[in-house]
């Protein structure tokens, strides 16, 4: 019931003294007290009845009202039998704390109000419970086996007027009823869910995005490979579990409704298990190809296995595709050091490689991911190049550069390291928190089994380059494997830190004090190959101003930017920072 309903019952003899804007608060119970501090007996949502016997003078009202407001009570009803009219200091304190205040006529017993509230609340709970039981029965008979998670979410919308979506750990929508959730909102909700789970708070978790409140219910993985809940560290599953996002605040829901939503998550978990079973074929294919490549099998044997894999990963494809290799690794530090990361990396890679614009659980057909030890390896087929007769009107002009044009088209269709992580970096960083890292490396596209072993090594080395960078989520691609970058992952961390600090810390300190933008100037100067004119144009500076800044850089560091050796040192320091 709502507070407003109390005023509609004349037999209760209540008069509103303040808080008209708060009358839609729900009432979950009633409590009578004359204690100065009743907080230990309050759980929130009560209508508190008091005869004011605890009040000795005007200074007592403020602390009493503050205690009630902090406990989240619905409202306060003060009797007039003890003091006559409710004191002004009590009215003012309730106004300050936005606590609705009622006066109880001296002819009305508190027992009358208590009996009325208990009868109303109990009746509503009984009706809600009966409805929940019926809905639970309907949901159990119309679950994923009858049409997927959308059926369950449609029932939530039609029967409980709840909008809900199933999201992946990166915020991608897997299922939903009605309007799809905007990708930005999904990513924000996934990040808040991962952060709450990592903090150890039990679900459902409350989240707010753009002024809308959501309740986030974890969808636990229950398949045969799942770790039993009592023995499972949250870090082992937080990066792979789905989440049910409901556009409502479940904080004031009765236990029966919360149980219903928990039942919904169990039904969705069945869909999750079915999806994983469907992926088992692709995982096995990837594992077989990986073992052949790593064991140095003959190219003919690897080609035969790829011909088997291609129709499974790209149904209806008439020609052999090009292939890319993506390597990922999840590593834990501190107390979590030693936790297995291979399965988490496998689940994450399967999610990351899905086109973020694609919804639904069946969007991973082209993904085959194996895991070996702490590493996950994805074998990604790329569609074959367009046939020659599909060329555009400019084709004759490019006839002499057929191979270059084909390479360019393959490059456009290929996966790029930074693009893979752009849309998922924020939520995954929340899930990894301070003790986890995800690093990822992407190879160039290859067109034959002979190139697959090199692609695997290229992806692994790109991942090591990514691991040398700061941040919880990092990626590197084959195009970054220049000669100087190849050396950086093998330089000890303390050496790299000392080297960059010696060169760049004086500039950073000066920038902090004077806002001189020396670091930005240095980066632009090196990027323009030391050209004063091009660098000044890029920074929108006069050449004399640029010369002054470069002179200040040289003065602070003792280096000479006209010397190749010093330019190279600055370049490496910036890359390692």
């Amino acid at each position: 019931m709502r507070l407003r309903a109390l005023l509609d019952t004349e037999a209760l003899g209540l008069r509103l003294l303040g808080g008209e804007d708060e009358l839609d608060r729900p009432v979950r119970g009633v409590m009578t007290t004359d204690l100065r501090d009743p907080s230990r007996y309050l759980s929130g949502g009560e209508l508190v009845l008091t005869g004011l016997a605890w009040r000795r003078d005007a200074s007592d009202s403020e602390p009493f009202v503050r205690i009630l407001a902090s406990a989240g009570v619905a409202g306060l009803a003060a009797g007039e039998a003890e003091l006559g009219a409710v004191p002004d200091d009590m009215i003012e304190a309730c106004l300050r704390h936005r606590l609705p205040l009622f006066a109880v006529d001296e002819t009305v017993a508190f027992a009358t109000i208590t009996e009325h509230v208990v009868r109303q609340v109990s009746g509503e709970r009984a009706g809600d419970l009966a409805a929940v039981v019926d809905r639970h029965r309907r949901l159990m008979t119309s679950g994923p086996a009858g049409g997927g998670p959308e059926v369950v979410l449609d029932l939530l919308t039609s029967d409980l007027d709840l909008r809900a979506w199933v999201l992946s750990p990166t915020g991608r929508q897997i299922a939903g009823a009605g309007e799809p959730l905007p990708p930005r909102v999904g990513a924000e909700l996934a990040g808040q869910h991962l952060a709450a789970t990592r903090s150890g708070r039990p679900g459902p978790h409350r989240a707010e995005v753009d002024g809308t409140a959501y309740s986030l219910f974890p969808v636990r993985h229950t398949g045969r490979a799942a770790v039993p809940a009592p023995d499972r560290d949250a870090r082992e599953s937080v990066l792979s579990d789905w989440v049910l996002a409901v556009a409502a605040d479940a904080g004031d829901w009765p236990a029966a409704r919360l149980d219903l939503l928990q039942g919904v998550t169990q039904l969705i978990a069945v869909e999750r298990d079915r999806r994983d079973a469907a992926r088992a074929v692709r995982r096995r294919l990837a594992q077989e190809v990986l073992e052949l490549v790593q064991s140095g099998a003959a190219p003919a044997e690897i080609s035969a296995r790829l011909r088997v894999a291609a129709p499974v990963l790209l149904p209806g494809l008439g020609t052999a595709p090009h292939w890319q290799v993506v390597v990922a690794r999840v590593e834990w530090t501190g107390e979590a050091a030693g936790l297995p990361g291979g399965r988490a990396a496998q689940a994450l890679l399967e999610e990351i490689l899905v086109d973020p614009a694609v919804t639904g659980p069946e969007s991973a057909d082209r993904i085959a991911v194996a895991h070996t030890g702490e590493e996950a390896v994805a074998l990604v087929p790329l569609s074959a190049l367009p046939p020659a007769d599909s060329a555009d009107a400019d084709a004759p002009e490019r006839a002499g550069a057929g191979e270059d044009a084909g390479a360019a088209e393959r490059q456009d269709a290929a996966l790029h390291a930074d693009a893979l992580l752009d849309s998922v970096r924020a939520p995954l960083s929340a899930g990894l928190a301070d003790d986890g890292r995800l690093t990822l490396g992407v190879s160039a596209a290859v067109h034959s089994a002979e190139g697959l072993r090199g692609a695997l090594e290229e992806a692994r080395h790109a991942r090591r380059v990514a691991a040398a960078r700061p941040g919880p989520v990092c990626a590197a691609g084959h195009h970054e494997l220049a000669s100087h970058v190849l050396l950086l992952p093998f330089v000890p961390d303390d050496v790299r830190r000392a080297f960059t600090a010696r060169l760049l810390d004086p500039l950073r300190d000066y920038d902090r004090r004077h806002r001189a933008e020396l670091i930005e100037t240095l980066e632009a100067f090196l990027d323009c190959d030391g050209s004063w004119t091009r660098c000044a144009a890029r920074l929108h500076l006069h050449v004399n101003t640029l010369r002054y800044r470069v002179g200040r850089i040289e003065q602070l560091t003792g280096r000479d930017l006209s010397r190749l050796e010093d330019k190279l040192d600055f370049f490496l320091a910036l890359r390692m920072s």
Side-chain angles (χ1 to χ4, degrees):
M1 66 176 297
R2 304 284 173 174
L3 281 176
R4 190 180 303 279
L6 297 173
L7 295 174
D8 297 334
T9 307
E10 293 184 7
L12 300 183
L14 295 177
R15 300 192 322 277
L16 182 64
L17 300 181
E20 185 175 359
D21 294 339
E22 305 291 334
L23 290 180
D24 286 325
R25 292 186 181 187
V27 180
R28 295 204 294 264
V30 63
M31 175 194 176
T32 300
T33 185
D34 272 315
L35 296 174
R36 297 170 62 83
D37 181 3
S39 57
R40 71 182 69 180
Y41 305 110
L42 297 171
S43 59
E46 299 92 347
L47 173 67
V48 175
L49 307 176
T50 180
L52 301 178
W54 48 266
R55 180 182 180 279
R56 293 190 298 268
D57 55 47
S59 64
D60 291 337
S61 295
E62 170 65 25
F64 180 79
V65 173
R66 184 171 63 249
I67 289 170
L68 298 188
S70 299
V73 303
L76 173 64
E80 296 180 323
E82 182 78 18
L83 301 177
V86 177
D88 289 341
D89 50 86
M90 172 67 71
I91 297 173
E92 292 170 0
C94 287
L95 288 173
R96 279 195 298 274
H97 291 279
R98 302 181 64 85
L99 182 65
L101 175 64
F102 301 90
V104 184
D105 190 273
E106 60 181 350
T107 62
V108 178
F110 282 177
T112 301
I113 300 174
T114 300
E115 181 183 353
H116 176 82
V117 172
V118 169
R119 186 168 58 247
Q120 292 295 321
V121 171
S122 298
E124 289 178 0
R125 285 178 178 168
D128 194 39
L129 179 58
V132 163
V133 169
D134 179 62
R135 288 166 185 141
H136 201 285
R137 176 187 59 77
R138 293 177 60 194
L139 288 171
M140 292 302 291
T141 58
S142 306
E150 284 83 1
V151 173
V152 180
L153 301 184
D154 283 340
L155 281 174
L156 285 179
T157 301
S158 61
D159 283 18
L160 293 179
D161 195 25
L162 293 176
R163 293 180 300 134
W165 304 266
V166 180
L167 305 177
S168 76
T170 64
R172 182 178 62 86
Q173 181 174 317
I174 295 168
E179 289 293 322
L181 203 62
R184 180 186 61 81
V185 176
E188 177 67 23
L189 290 176
Q192 293 192 41
H193 166 68
L194 291 173
T197 302
R198 284 300 312 272
S199 72
R201 301 202 308 270
H205 306 124
R206 187 185 186 280
E208 186 171 317
V209 179
D210 297 338
T212 301
Y214 297 85
S215 295
L216 308 176
F217 295 80
V219 179
R220 302 299 186 193
H221 186 26
T222 59
R224 287 181 296 176
V227 180
D231 303 321
R232 180 173 60 180
D233 189 296
R235 284 164 287 219
E236 294 184 64
S237 61
V238 67
L239 297 174
S240 59
D241 283 343
W242 290 355
V243 58
L244 174 65
V246 182
D249 188 347
D252 59 353
W253 285 3
R257 181 169 289 197
L258 288 173
D259 288 344
L260 173 66
L261 267 294
Q262 296 296 350
V264 169
T265 65
Q266 293 170 14
L267 292 174
I268 295 171
V270 173
E271 171 64 27
R272 170 68 185 273
D273 295 341
R274 188 194 65 78
R275 192 282 310 260
D276 280 351
R279 278 188 173 177
V281 175
R282 295 190 290 274
R283 288 173 174 172
R284 187 170 65 250
L285 285 171
Q287 194 72 43
E288 291 173 357
V289 173
L290 178 62
E291 289 172 359
L292 288 174
V293 171
Q294 292 189 132
S295 65
E301 188 177 358
I302 299 174
S303 294
R305 180 53 55 188
L306 290 178
R307 284 195 294 272
V308 173
V312 176
L313 299 179
L314 289 177
L317 188 67
T319 55
H322 296 81
W323 301 89
Q324 267 184 291
V325 175
V326 184
V327 172
R329 190 179 182 99
V330 172
E331 297 172 291
W332 303 102
T333 59
E335 295 181 1
L339 280 178
R343 288 193 181 277
Q346 182 183 43
L348 272 182
L349 206 46
E350 287 173 335
E351 175 60 31
I352 290 170
L353 291 174
V354 176
D355 184 346
V358 176
T359 62
E362 305 296 344
S363 53
D365 287 345
R366 72 173 189 154
I367 299 167
V369 184
H371 80 85
T372 171
E374 297 302 298
E375 183 181 71
V377 179
L379 190 64
V380 182
L382 304 174
S383 299
L385 294 175
D389 58 6
S390 68
D392 57 33
D394 295 329
E397 297 178 22
R398 298 197 306 265
E403 263 192 53
D404 291 343
E409 291 189 53
R410 277 199 304 276
Q411 183 66 20
D412 289 341
L415 301 172
H416 298 275
D418 290 337
L420 284 177
L421 294 186
D422 278 349
S423 61
V424 301
R425 195 183 306 271
L428 292 185
S429 296
L432 292 161
D434 297 327
D435 54 3
R437 289 200 78 202
L438 167 68
T439 50
L440 184 147
V442 181
S443 78
V446 296
H447 67 279
S448 66
E450 289 88 345
L452 212 51
R453 183 177 181 84
L456 176 60
E457 292 305 315
E458 190 174 55
R460 282 176 169 162
H461 202 93
R463 191 208 63 79
R464 288 194 290 270
V465 170
R469 296 170 176 168
V473 180
C474 295
H478 62 92
H479 60 284
E480 298 182 64
L481 301 184
S483 56
H484 64 278
V485 177
L486 287 171
L487 301 174
L488 298 185
F490 304 103
V491 179
D493 288 346
D494 53 349
V495 174
R496 285 193 283 115
R497 282 194 295 269
F499 179 74
T500 57
R502 186 167 61 252
L503 278 176
L504 301 183
D505 279 2
L507 306 183
R508 290 175 177 140
D509 291 342
Y510 191 86
D511 280 348
R512 276 193 295 270
R513 293 196 308 270
H514 303 285
R515 299 181 181 179
E517 300 180 351
L518 295 185
I519 291 289
E520 179 185 352
T521 301
L522 177 61
E523 291 175 333
F525 187 73
L526 295 176
D527 197 41
C528 292
D529 298 324
S531 168
W532 297 98
T533 304
R534 283 193 289 124
C535 183
R538 173 181 293 190
L539 296 175
H540 305 290
L541 298 175
H542 192 278
V543 172
N544 289 341
T545 304
L546 176 62
R547 291 185 184 279
Y548 172 80
R549 288 188 183 181
V550 170
R552 179 62 68 183
I553 292 171
E554 294 174 335
Q555 180 184 12
L556 291 170
T557 60
R559 299 299 186 107
D560 182 355
L561 277 167
S562 66
R563 298 179 67 246
L564 177 62
E565 295 87 346
D566 287 344
K567 286 181 182 176
L568 181 59
D569 282 349
F570 276 123
F571 177 77
L572 292 174
L574 289 168
R575 291 301 297 264
M576 288 190 289
S577 66

